Amino acid sequence: MAGQTTKGKGMITEEENYKTSNNPLAVESWDSYIGQEKVKERLQVKIKAAMERYEQMDAALILGQSGTGKSSIARLIADEHAVPFIDLMITPNFSISALNNILVQFDEDGGGIVFLDEIHNFSKKDQHYLYSILEDNCITYGAKHSGKRHYFVNAVTIIAATTDENLLTKALRGRFGAPYRLGAYSDKEMGQIVERMAIKMGFTPTIEECIALGQAAAGSPRQAGDLIKTARDLGSMAIEPILELAEITRDGLTVDHIAILDSIFNLGGITGLENITNHSGRAKDDIVDLEKLLVRKGFIEMTGKGRALTGRGVKALREARLKK
């Protein structure tokens, strides 16, 4: 079944199928996937060539920040091939043995496309065990199993994604070939994404609403989807009520972004990651991810002494406090 989301024992998959019509994040075709034109063009060439050989496309590595559409691309690849699809979120506790069990079962069920999101969470040791899957189409078990191998009977293609390629070994990156790097979305593209989602939810949005909510989405289609879901709950595309209920500023800052700005301000305007972590109560990894937007927007600067709050950052913090 095309685009089927497969679930099985011990399998971590999305509870929500993004192909359902009432989900504003759903992308049903390459044409409805707005932006990332170079990535789409490369993938479509690869898919077409593979299908002409009666094969599935080779393994691929997608690079991009959270919420930029990596899983949507993986689903479109599966849809194009008309094969089953598994979406796995790799957490730090996800073992390579668990993945092996899932892949063996998936192979026995007929194979298809396997999406490994946040693949960098595999340890360096576990990343080593992925080599044979990517190169030899088989699973190589560890020393406890005397190097036993399971060769796939059916086509099993790995589409991996990461928000931090530096945590992947050079050897693993090389086995995927040239990665597919998702770039930043323009304000125009974000406005178009908001418009598509809003229309799908039954709204007739104005240009002003699309532009404002597109900017508030801060380059993230996922955040745009959250805003449109909020509009659905309100039954209105009115900008301010949506932003207030979603707790997102016009610049796209969430309560977590504001907490980081607040911590830097209260710690003297410039401080280190450890201090921000302790003051804000947010995890280090989350702060590192969140501060990318703050740097891009010019709200903080990275200096030799730590994260420094800028004049724009102070202004954004004051505006957020006034709305509380």
PDB file of all heavy atoms in Angstrom, residues 140-167:
ATOM      1  N   THR A 140      24.513  -7.055  10.159  1.00  0.00           N
ATOM      2  CA  THR A 140      25.622  -7.791  10.763  1.00  0.00           C
ATOM      3  C   THR A 140      25.466  -7.734  12.275  1.00  0.00           C
ATOM      4  O   THR A 140      25.445  -6.650  12.862  1.00  0.00           O
ATOM      5  CB  THR A 140      26.979  -7.183  10.367  1.00  0.00           C
ATOM      6  OG1 THR A 140      27.115  -7.228   8.941  1.00  0.00           O
ATOM      7  CG2 THR A 140      28.117  -7.965  11.001  1.00  0.00           C
ATOM      8  N   TYR A 141      25.346  -8.895  12.889  1.00  0.00           N
ATOM      9  CA  TYR A 141      25.186  -8.949  14.335  1.00  0.00           C
ATOM     10  C   TYR A 141      26.552  -8.894  15.020  1.00  0.00           C
ATOM     11  O   TYR A 141      27.589  -9.123  14.403  1.00  0.00           O
ATOM     12  CB  TYR A 141      24.435 -10.218  14.736  1.00  0.00           C
ATOM     13  CG  TYR A 141      23.008 -10.243  14.235  1.00  0.00           C
ATOM     14  CD1 TYR A 141      22.684 -10.871  13.035  1.00  0.00           C
ATOM     15  CD2 TYR A 141      21.998  -9.611  14.948  1.00  0.00           C
ATOM     16  CE1 TYR A 141      21.382 -10.880  12.560  1.00  0.00           C
ATOM     17  CE2 TYR A 141      20.691  -9.615  14.480  1.00  0.00           C
ATOM     18  CZ  TYR A 141      20.386 -10.249  13.287  1.00  0.00           C
ATOM     19  OH  TYR A 141      19.093 -10.249  12.822  1.00  0.00           O
ATOM     20  N   GLY A 142      26.561  -8.583  16.305  1.00  0.00           N
ATOM     21  CA  GLY A 142      27.803  -8.416  17.050  1.00  0.00           C
ATOM     22  C   GLY A 142      28.506  -9.719  17.371  1.00  0.00           C
ATOM     23  O   GLY A 142      28.111 -10.808  16.940  1.00  0.00           O
ATOM     24  N   ALA A 143      29.574  -9.588  18.182  1.00  0.00           N
ATOM     25  CA  ALA A 143      30.417 -10.733  18.525  1.00  0.00           C
ATOM     26  C   ALA A 143      29.640 -11.824  19.254  1.00  0.00           C
ATOM     27  O   ALA A 143      29.944 -13.014  19.124  1.00  0.00           O
ATOM     28  CB  ALA A 143      31.586 -10.264  19.386  1.00  0.00           C
ATOM     29  N   LYS A 144      28.619 -11.435  20.016  1.00  0.00           N
ATOM     30  CA  LYS A 144      27.826 -12.424  20.749  1.00  0.00           C
ATOM     31  C   LYS A 144      27.156 -13.416  19.806  1.00  0.00           C
ATOM     32  O   LYS A 144      26.817 -14.530  20.192  1.00  0.00           O
ATOM     33  CB  LYS A 144      26.759 -11.719  21.594  1.00  0.00           C
ATOM     34  CG  LYS A 144      27.321 -10.932  22.770  1.00  0.00           C
ATOM     35  CD  LYS A 144      26.197 -10.317  23.579  1.00  0.00           C
ATOM     36  CE  LYS A 144      26.738  -9.539  24.770  1.00  0.00           C
ATOM     37  NZ  LYS A 144      25.643  -8.914  25.562  1.00  0.00           N
ATOM     38  N   HIS A 145      26.951 -12.976  18.566  1.00  0.00           N
ATOM     39  CA  HIS A 145      26.296 -13.840  17.574  1.00  0.00           C
ATOM     40  C   HIS A 145      27.292 -14.312  16.513  1.00  0.00           C
ATOM     41  O   HIS A 145      26.899 -14.719  15.417  1.00  0.00           O
ATOM     42  CB  HIS A 145      25.144 -13.087  16.907  1.00  0.00           C
ATOM     43  CG  HIS A 145      24.095 -12.621  17.872  1.00  0.00           C
ATOM     44  ND1 HIS A 145      23.093 -13.442  18.337  1.00  0.00           N
ATOM     45  CD2 HIS A 145      23.917 -11.421  18.489  1.00  0.00           C
ATOM     46  CE1 HIS A 145      22.327 -12.765  19.179  1.00  0.00           C
ATOM     47  NE2 HIS A 145      22.808 -11.538  19.288  1.00  0.00           N
ATOM     48  N   SER A 146      28.584 -14.229  16.850  1.00  0.00           N
ATOM     49  CA  SER A 146      29.659 -14.709  15.964  1.00  0.00           C
ATOM     50  C   SER A 146      29.614 -14.064  14.582  1.00  0.00           C
ATOM     51  O   SER A 146      29.907 -14.712  13.567  1.00  0.00           O
ATOM     52  CB  SER A 146      29.577 -16.243  15.833  1.00  0.00           C
ATOM     53  OG  SER A 146      29.660 -16.854  17.104  1.00  0.00           O
ATOM     54  N   GLY A 147      29.234 -12.791  14.539  1.00  0.00           N
ATOM     55  CA  GLY A 147      29.228 -12.082  13.261  1.00  0.00           C
ATOM     56  C   GLY A 147      28.159 -12.552  12.296  1.00  0.00           C
ATOM     57  O   GLY A 147      28.275 -12.348  11.082  1.00  0.00           O
ATOM     58  N   LYS A 148      27.122 -13.183  12.808  1.00  0.00           N
ATOM     59  CA  LYS A 148      26.029 -13.679  11.964  1.00  0.00           C
ATOM     60  C   LYS A 148      25.429 -12.540  11.146  1.00  0.00           C
ATOM     61  O   LYS A 148      25.372 -11.394  11.586  1.00  0.00           O
ATOM     62  CB  LYS A 148      24.957 -14.301  12.861  1.00  0.00           C
ATOM     63  CG  LYS A 148      23.714 -14.766  12.124  1.00  0.00           C
ATOM     64  CD  LYS A 148      22.660 -15.254  13.117  1.00  0.00           C
ATOM     65  CE  LYS A 148      21.353 -15.576  12.410  1.00  0.00           C
ATOM     66  NZ  LYS A 148      20.296 -15.970  13.374  1.00  0.00           N
ATOM     67  N   ARG A 149      24.949 -12.871   9.938  1.00  0.00           N
ATOM     68  CA  ARG A 149      24.354 -11.860   9.066  1.00  0.00           C
ATOM     69  C   ARG A 149      22.949 -12.263   8.627  1.00  0.00           C
ATOM     70  O   ARG A 149      22.667 -13.444   8.453  1.00  0.00           O
ATOM     71  CB  ARG A 149      25.217 -11.631   7.823  1.00  0.00           C
ATOM     72  CG  ARG A 149      26.532 -10.923   8.106  1.00  0.00           C
ATOM     73  CD  ARG A 149      27.210 -10.496   6.819  1.00  0.00           C
ATOM     74  NE  ARG A 149      28.298  -9.567   7.059  1.00  0.00           N
ATOM     75  CZ  ARG A 149      28.840  -8.784   6.138  1.00  0.00           C
ATOM     76  NH1 ARG A 149      28.375  -8.828   4.886  1.00  0.00           N
ATOM     77  NH2 ARG A 149      29.825  -7.967   6.430  1.00  0.00           N
ATOM     78  N   HIS A 150      22.112 -11.257   8.472  1.00  0.00           N
ATOM     79  CA  HIS A 150      20.782 -11.464   7.891  1.00  0.00           C
ATOM     80  C   HIS A 150      20.714 -10.644   6.609  1.00  0.00           C
ATOM     81  O   HIS A 150      20.779  -9.418   6.647  1.00  0.00           O
ATOM     82  CB  HIS A 150      19.676 -11.008   8.848  1.00  0.00           C
ATOM     83  CG  HIS A 150      18.315 -10.958   8.199  1.00  0.00           C
ATOM     84  ND1 HIS A 150      17.476 -12.050   8.150  1.00  0.00           N
ATOM     85  CD2 HIS A 150      17.666  -9.950   7.541  1.00  0.00           C
ATOM     86  CE1 HIS A 150      16.365 -11.715   7.511  1.00  0.00           C
ATOM     87  NE2 HIS A 150      16.455 -10.449   7.131  1.00  0.00           N
ATOM     88  N   TYR A 151      20.622 -11.323   5.470  1.00  0.00           N
ATOM     89  CA  TYR A 151      20.524 -10.627   4.190  1.00  0.00           C
ATOM     90  C   TYR A 151      19.055 -10.369   3.862  1.00  0.00           C
ATOM     91  O   TYR A 151      18.213 -11.262   3.984  1.00  0.00           O
ATOM     92  CB  TYR A 151      21.169 -11.460   3.076  1.00  0.00           C
ATOM     93  CG  TYR A 151      22.679 -11.429   3.115  1.00  0.00           C
ATOM     94  CD1 TYR A 151      23.385 -12.368   3.872  1.00  0.00           C
ATOM     95  CD2 TYR A 151      23.385 -10.454   2.427  1.00  0.00           C
ATOM     96  CE1 TYR A 151      24.771 -12.328   3.934  1.00  0.00           C
ATOM     97  CE2 TYR A 151      24.774 -10.413   2.478  1.00  0.00           C
ATOM     98  CZ  TYR A 151      25.458 -11.349   3.232  1.00  0.00           C
ATOM     99  OH  TYR A 151      26.831 -11.305   3.294  1.00  0.00           O
ATOM    100  N   PHE A 152      18.766  -9.138   3.453  1.00  0.00           N
ATOM    101  CA  PHE A 152      17.391  -8.793   3.122  1.00  0.00           C
ATOM    102  C   PHE A 152      16.941  -9.532   1.865  1.00  0.00           C
ATOM    103  O   PHE A 152      17.643  -9.546   0.852  1.00  0.00           O
ATOM    104  CB  PHE A 152      17.244  -7.285   2.899  1.00  0.00           C
ATOM    105  CG  PHE A 152      17.531  -6.457   4.124  1.00  0.00           C
ATOM    106  CD1 PHE A 152      18.421  -5.393   4.075  1.00  0.00           C
ATOM    107  CD2 PHE A 152      16.908  -6.743   5.327  1.00  0.00           C
ATOM    108  CE1 PHE A 152      18.683  -4.628   5.195  1.00  0.00           C
ATOM    109  CE2 PHE A 152      17.158  -5.984   6.459  1.00  0.00           C
ATOM    110  CZ  PHE A 152      18.052  -4.927   6.395  1.00  0.00           C
ATOM    111  N   VAL A 153      15.764 -10.110   1.945  1.00  0.00           N
ATOM    112  CA  VAL A 153      15.170 -10.783   0.790  1.00  0.00           C
ATOM    113  C   VAL A 153      14.466  -9.758  -0.090  1.00  0.00           C
ATOM    114  O   VAL A 153      14.474  -9.846  -1.314  1.00  0.00           O
ATOM    115  CB  VAL A 153      14.169 -11.870   1.250  1.00  0.00           C
ATOM    116  CG1 VAL A 153      13.467 -12.491   0.044  1.00  0.00           C
ATOM    117  CG2 VAL A 153      14.879 -12.935   2.069  1.00  0.00           C
ATOM    118  N   ASN A 154      13.870  -8.765   0.560  1.00  0.00           N
ATOM    119  CA  ASN A 154      13.152  -7.713  -0.148  1.00  0.00           C
ATOM    120  C   ASN A 154      13.928  -6.393  -0.062  1.00  0.00           C
ATOM    121  O   ASN A 154      14.869  -6.262   0.722  1.00  0.00           O
ATOM    122  CB  ASN A 154      11.755  -7.536   0.457  1.00  0.00           C
ATOM    123  CG  ASN A 154      10.912  -8.783   0.315  1.00  0.00           C
ATOM    124  OD1 ASN A 154      10.499  -9.148  -0.782  1.00  0.00           O
ATOM    125  ND2 ASN A 154      10.665  -9.467   1.434  1.00  0.00           N
ATOM    126  N   ALA A 155      13.514  -5.432  -0.857  1.00  0.00           N
ATOM    127  CA  ALA A 155      14.187  -4.129  -0.865  1.00  0.00           C
ATOM    128  C   ALA A 155      13.849  -3.360   0.414  1.00  0.00           C
ATOM    129  O   ALA A 155      12.679  -3.120   0.711  1.00  0.00           O
ATOM    130  CB  ALA A 155      13.760  -3.325  -2.086  1.00  0.00           C
ATOM    131  N   VAL A 156      14.875  -2.997   1.164  1.00  0.00           N
ATOM    132  CA  VAL A 156      14.723  -2.191   2.375  1.00  0.00           C
ATOM    133  C   VAL A 156      15.655  -0.992   2.232  1.00  0.00           C
ATOM    134  O   VAL A 156      16.876  -1.145   2.247  1.00  0.00           O
ATOM    135  CB  VAL A 156      15.069  -2.988   3.649  1.00  0.00           C
ATOM    136  CG1 VAL A 156      15.006  -2.073   4.869  1.00  0.00           C
ATOM    137  CG2 VAL A 156      14.134  -4.179   3.813  1.00  0.00           C
ATOM    138  N   THR A 157      15.084   0.184   2.062  1.00  0.00           N
ATOM    139  CA  THR A 157      15.883   1.397   1.857  1.00  0.00           C
ATOM    140  C   THR A 157      15.843   2.274   3.098  1.00  0.00           C
ATOM    141  O   THR A 157      14.769   2.568   3.623  1.00  0.00           O
ATOM    142  CB  THR A 157      15.355   2.206   0.655  1.00  0.00           C
ATOM    143  OG1 THR A 157      15.476   1.416  -0.529  1.00  0.00           O
ATOM    144  CG2 THR A 157      16.146   3.496   0.479  1.00  0.00           C
ATOM    145  N   ILE A 158      17.015   2.699   3.547  1.00  0.00           N
ATOM    146  CA  ILE A 158      17.126   3.575   4.709  1.00  0.00           C
ATOM    147  C   ILE A 158      17.178   5.033   4.255  1.00  0.00           C
ATOM    148  O   ILE A 158      18.047   5.425   3.473  1.00  0.00           O
ATOM    149  CB  ILE A 158      18.400   3.267   5.525  1.00  0.00           C
ATOM    150  CG1 ILE A 158      18.410   1.816   5.999  1.00  0.00           C
ATOM    151  CG2 ILE A 158      18.512   4.240   6.706  1.00  0.00           C
ATOM    152  CD1 ILE A 158      17.327   1.467   6.980  1.00  0.00           C
ATOM    153  N   ILE A 159      16.229   5.823   4.735  1.00  0.00           N
ATOM    154  CA  ILE A 159      16.275   7.273   4.575  1.00  0.00           C
ATOM    155  C   ILE A 159      16.511   7.826   5.978  1.00  0.00           C
ATOM    156  O   ILE A 159      15.673   7.660   6.860  1.00  0.00           O
ATOM    157  CB  ILE A 159      14.960   7.847   4.004  1.00  0.00           C
ATOM    158  CG1 ILE A 159      14.577   7.141   2.701  1.00  0.00           C
ATOM    159  CG2 ILE A 159      15.099   9.354   3.808  1.00  0.00           C
ATOM    160  CD1 ILE A 159      15.557   7.330   1.568  1.00  0.00           C
ATOM    161  N   ALA A 160      17.666   8.423   6.191  1.00  0.00           N
ATOM    162  CA  ALA A 160      18.019   8.923   7.524  1.00  0.00           C
ATOM    163  C   ALA A 160      17.973  10.442   7.541  1.00  0.00           C
ATOM    164  O   ALA A 160      18.084  11.100   6.504  1.00  0.00           O
ATOM    165  CB  ALA A 160      19.408   8.436   7.917  1.00  0.00           C
ATOM    166  N   ALA A 161      17.805  10.987   8.741  1.00  0.00           N
ATOM    167  CA  ALA A 161      17.777  12.440   8.883  1.00  0.00           C
ATOM    168  C   ALA A 161      18.432  12.832  10.192  1.00  0.00           C
ATOM    169  O   ALA A 161      18.420  12.069  11.166  1.00  0.00           O
ATOM    170  CB  ALA A 161      16.342  12.956   8.842  1.00  0.00           C
ATOM    171  N   THR A 162      19.004  14.019  10.204  1.00  0.00           N
ATOM    172  CA  THR A 162      19.631  14.515  11.424  1.00  0.00           C
ATOM    173  C   THR A 162      19.591  16.036  11.462  1.00  0.00           C
ATOM    174  O   THR A 162      19.586  16.692  10.415  1.00  0.00           O
ATOM    175  CB  THR A 162      21.096  14.045  11.530  1.00  0.00           C
ATOM    176  OG1 THR A 162      21.681  14.571  12.724  1.00  0.00           O
ATOM    177  CG2 THR A 162      21.918  14.517  10.345  1.00  0.00           C
ATOM    178  N   THR A 163      19.558  16.552  12.672  1.00  0.00           N
ATOM    179  CA  THR A 163      19.671  17.994  12.874  1.00  0.00           C
ATOM    180  C   THR A 163      21.106  18.372  13.227  1.00  0.00           C
ATOM    181  O   THR A 163      21.421  19.553  13.344  1.00  0.00           O
ATOM    182  CB  THR A 163      18.741  18.453  14.016  1.00  0.00           C
ATOM    183  OG1 THR A 163      19.036  17.682  15.194  1.00  0.00           O
ATOM    184  CG2 THR A 163      17.279  18.253  13.643  1.00  0.00           C
ATOM    185  N   ASP A 164      21.966  17.360  13.407  1.00  0.00           N
ATOM    186  CA  ASP A 164      23.359  17.623  13.787  1.00  0.00           C
ATOM    187  C   ASP A 164      24.282  16.611  13.118  1.00  0.00           C
ATOM    188  O   ASP A 164      24.598  15.563  13.687  1.00  0.00           O
ATOM    189  CB  ASP A 164      23.517  17.564  15.308  1.00  0.00           C
ATOM    190  CG  ASP A 164      24.848  18.132  15.780  1.00  0.00           C
ATOM    191  OD1 ASP A 164      25.768  18.281  14.947  1.00  0.00           O
ATOM    192  OD2 ASP A 164      24.975  18.432  16.983  1.00  0.00           O
ATOM    193  N   GLU A 165      24.727  16.934  11.920  1.00  0.00           N
ATOM    194  CA  GLU A 165      25.566  16.008  11.157  1.00  0.00           C
ATOM    195  C   GLU A 165      26.930  15.787  11.805  1.00  0.00           C
ATOM    196  O   GLU A 165      27.598  14.785  11.543  1.00  0.00           O
ATOM    197  CB  GLU A 165      25.758  16.520   9.733  1.00  0.00           C
ATOM    198  CG  GLU A 165      26.439  17.866   9.638  1.00  0.00           C
ATOM    199  CD  GLU A 165      26.540  18.364   8.214  1.00  0.00           C
ATOM    200  OE1 GLU A 165      27.155  17.675   7.375  1.00  0.00           O
ATOM    201  OE2 GLU A 165      25.986  19.451   7.945  1.00  0.00           O
ATOM    202  N   ASN A 166      27.354  16.715  12.667  1.00  0.00           N
ATOM    203  CA  ASN A 166      28.661  16.584  13.310  1.00  0.00           C
ATOM    204  C   ASN A 166      28.724  15.405  14.278  1.00  0.00           C
ATOM    205  O   ASN A 166      29.817  14.982  14.668  1.00  0.00           O
ATOM    206  CB  ASN A 166      29.018  17.873  14.052  1.00  0.00           C
ATOM    207  CG  ASN A 166      29.229  19.038  13.103  1.00  0.00           C
ATOM    208  OD1 ASN A 166      29.789  18.873  12.024  1.00  0.00           O
ATOM    209  ND2 ASN A 166      28.762  20.215  13.487  1.00  0.00           N
ATOM    210  N   LEU A 167      27.566  14.893  14.681  1.00  0.00           N
ATOM    211  CA  LEU A 167      27.532  13.750  15.589  1.00  0.00           C
ATOM    212  C   LEU A 167      27.560  12.418  14.839  1.00  0.00           C
ATOM    213  O   LEU A 167      27.566  11.360  15.456  1.00  0.00           O
ATOM    214  CB  LEU A 167      26.291  13.818  16.484  1.00  0.00           C
ATOM    215  CG  LEU A 167      26.260  14.984  17.480  1.00  0.00           C
ATOM    216  CD1 LEU A 167      24.975  14.959  18.291  1.00  0.00           C
ATOM    217  CD2 LEU A 167      27.469  14.941  18.404  1.00  0.00           C
TER     218      LEU A 167
END
